[in-house]
């Protein structure tokens, strides 16, 4: 693989304005967009993922959207393989790969390689789900704190999906997930990466954006979308697709577990927790140029930085 072509990586928390900034960059440079998002890969999940609409897709080429059905799974390893292939193909066309999205596990896998985490074990996951339902996820979090205190410290006590995965790794490998994550087995990104993060200077403003965005999704028909998905596919709430923020809460509402006010409250709270986790990941990563996503001149600042990097790096 050639190593002399530039790749732009644009990330940040949900509601930071990544999509709008990406389109502004696409109007300035000949880019093709590789979506770095673990939710937009699912077909039929459009409203709750803020998937680009037809007009946006016509404006700029996007890749890794609508790859699989909600009943299927897609790993960080698959993302890395697909992204590396696409980056080479895009560069060969004389264009610039622009990776954008907020799935930090994908971002880390792309930049730093992968590690020796064991594959998922369906039987063990079912056992952990049963224990979580019976004992409560705070109790499972306490067990994780005993086995892997470093991983437990960065997870919320009700973050069932991540607690389950961390416990699964511990039980399958006999080692804490935090230790395995330090042992990268693949090389770093084999090209010149320009890494940009959009982060809020005022967290309260980001929280308002998150609330407005979730309300807009509800108004656009998120519940009808989930009803349609449940009618079309053999889904259950344990599937990764239905654990996505917004879809989990919509499922609970349709099953009568929460009312309308609970749907909104839980959906906004879960989205805020997601943004907090994304920012925590970003703080741990080096080599990232950070911009205040609330800056009125954000686009100009990002464009100026990229112009300098693309020119200087090519010299």
């Amino acid at each position: 693989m050639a190593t002399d072509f530039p790749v732009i990586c644009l990330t940040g928390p949900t509601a930071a304005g990544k999509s709008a900034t990406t389109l502004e960059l696409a109007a300035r440079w000949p880019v093709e967009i590789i979506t770095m998002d673990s939710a937009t890969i699912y077909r039929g999940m459009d409203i709750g993922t803020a998937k680009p609409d037809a007009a946006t897709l016509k404006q700029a080429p996007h890749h890794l959207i609508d790859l699989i059905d909600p009943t299927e799974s897609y790993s960080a390893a698959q993302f890395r393989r697909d992204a590396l292939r696409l980056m080479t193909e895009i560069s060969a066309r004389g264009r610039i790969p622009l990776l954008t999205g907020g799935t930090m596990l994908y971002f880390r896998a792309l930049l730093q390689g992968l590690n020796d985490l064991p594959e998922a074990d369906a039987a063990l996951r079912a056992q952990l789900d049963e224990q979580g339902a019976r004992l409560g996820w705070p109790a499972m979090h306490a067990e994780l704190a005993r086995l892997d205190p470093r991983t437990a410290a960065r997870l919320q006590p009700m973050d069932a999906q991540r607690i389950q995965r961390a416990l699964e790794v511990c039980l399958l490998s006999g080692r804490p997930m935090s230790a395995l994550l330090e042992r990268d087995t693949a090389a770093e990104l084999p090209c010149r990466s320009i890494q940009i993060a959009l982060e809020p200077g005022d967290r309260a403003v980001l929280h308002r954006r998150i609330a407005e965005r979730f309300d807009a999704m509800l108004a656009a028909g998120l519940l009808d979308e989930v009803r349609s998905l449940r009618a079309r596919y053999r889904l259950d709430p344990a599937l990764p697709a239905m654990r996505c923020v917004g879809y989990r809460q919509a499922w609970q509402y349709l099953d009568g577990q929460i009312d309308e006010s609970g749907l909104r409250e839980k959906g906004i709270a879960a989205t805020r927790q997601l943004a907090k986790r994304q920012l925590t990941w970003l703080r741990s990563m080096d080599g990232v140029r950070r911009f205040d996503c609330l800056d009125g001149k954000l686009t100009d600042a990002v464009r100026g930085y990229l112009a300098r990097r693309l020119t200087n790096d090519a010299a």
Side-chain angles (χ1 to χ4, degrees), residues 20-183:
T21 302
T22 297
L23 291 179
E24 292 286 351
L25 299 179
R28 169 66 175 79
W29 285 284
V31 305
E32 291 188 32
I33 298 161
I34 302 173
T35 306
M36 193 165 52
D37 189 299
S38 62
T40 56
I41 59 171
Y42 294 113
R43 301 184 190 104
M45 292 174 56
D46 303 329
I47 296 171
T49 65
K51 190 177 293 178
D53 58 19
T56 300
L57 295 175
K58 186 177 180 180
Q59 182 179 347
H62 284 63
H63 302 275
L64 302 188
I65 289 177
D66 293 335
L67 290 182
I68 59 176
D69 289 339
T71 53
E72 300 175 289
S73 60
Y74 186 78
S75 69
Q78 289 172 288
F79 169 78
R80 192 174 201 272
R81 288 194 296 269
D82 289 341
L84 290 174
R85 171 182 55 79
L86 286 166
M87 286 156 44
T88 304
E89 294 172 357
I90 292 167
S91 179
R93 290 193 283 269
R95 302 175 70 84
I96 302 172
L98 195 169
L99 292 104
T100 184
T103 299
M104 297 304 163
L105 182 59
Y106 287 5
F107 190 36
R108 174 173 174 154
L110 182 71
L111 296 179
Q112 301 178 8
L114 298 168
N115 32 65
D116 294 324
L117 295 184
E119 295 292 330
D121 183 294
L124 179 55
R125 287 196 167 187
Q127 178 184 338
L128 291 170
D129 274 336
E130 186 277 328
Q131 291 176 352
R134 178 165 45 85
L135 303 175
W137 286 103
M140 303 294 280
H141 184 267
E143 174 63 8
L144 177 61
R146 184 182 70 82
L147 298 173
D148 185 357
R150 289 169 57 194
T151 297
R154 65 177 179 82
L155 299 181
Q156 297 294 321
M158 291 301 293
D159 192 346
Q161 181 177 0
R162 290 170 180 82
I163 293 170
Q164 180 201 62
R165 176 55 177 161
L167 285 169
E168 178 186 44
V169 168
C170 289
L171 295 172
L172 289 175
S173 69
R175 299 195 60 192
M177 187 168 75
S178 56
L180 294 177
L181 286 173
E182 294 173 348
R183 297 183 354 197

Side-chain angles (χ1 to χ4, degrees), residues 257-277:
Q257 299 174 29
I258 55 176
D259 60 14
E260 189 171 343
S261 63
L263 165 64
R264 182 179 185 275
E265 178 183 346
K266 287 181 175 292
I268 292 172
T271 310
R272 287 173 60 168
Q273 290 168 2
L274 170 62
K276 183 179 179 180
R277 290 195 300 270

Side-chain angles (χ1 to χ4, degrees), residues 112-258:
Q112 301 178 8
L114 298 168
N115 32 65
D116 294 324
L117 295 184
E119 295 292 330
D121 183 294
L124 179 55
R125 287 196 167 187
Q127 178 184 338
L128 291 170
D129 274 336
E130 186 277 328
Q131 291 176 352
R134 178 165 45 85
L135 303 175
W137 286 103
M140 303 294 280
H141 184 267
E143 174 63 8
L144 177 61
R146 184 182 70 82
L147 298 173
D148 185 357
R150 289 169 57 194
T151 297
R154 65 177 179 82
L155 299 181
Q156 297 294 321
M158 291 301 293
D159 192 346
Q161 181 177 0
R162 290 170 180 82
I163 293 170
Q164 180 201 62
R165 176 55 177 161
L167 285 169
E168 178 186 44
V169 168
C170 289
L171 295 172
L172 289 175
S173 69
R175 299 195 60 192
M177 187 168 75
S178 56
L180 294 177
L181 286 173
E182 294 173 348
R183 297 183 354 197
D184 293 325
T185 58
E188 293 186 359
L189 193 64
C191 55
R192 294 187 287 114
S193 65
I194 304 171
Q195 302 160 34
I196 295 171
L198 308 184
E199 301 180 6
D202 184 344
R203 196 76 65 92
V205 176
L206 183 69
H207 290 171
R208 286 200 296 273
R209 283 188 178 184
I210 286 171
E212 291 167 358
R213 177 171 167 163
F214 193 78
D215 286 339
M217 288 177 176
L218 290 175
L222 175 60
L223 289 173
D224 287 337
E225 180 172 89
V226 178
R227 286 191 187 97
S228 176
L229 290 168
R230 284 167 43 135
R232 182 178 178 185
Y233 299 101
R234 293 177 62 86
L235 299 175
D236 67 71
L239 286 168
M242 292 300 104
R243 289 183 172 185
C244 291
V245 169
Y247 291 90
R248 181 198 296 263
Q249 292 75 32
W251 187 288
Q252 291 172 338
Y253 172 83
L254 294 175
D255 273 2
Q257 299 174 29
I258 55 176

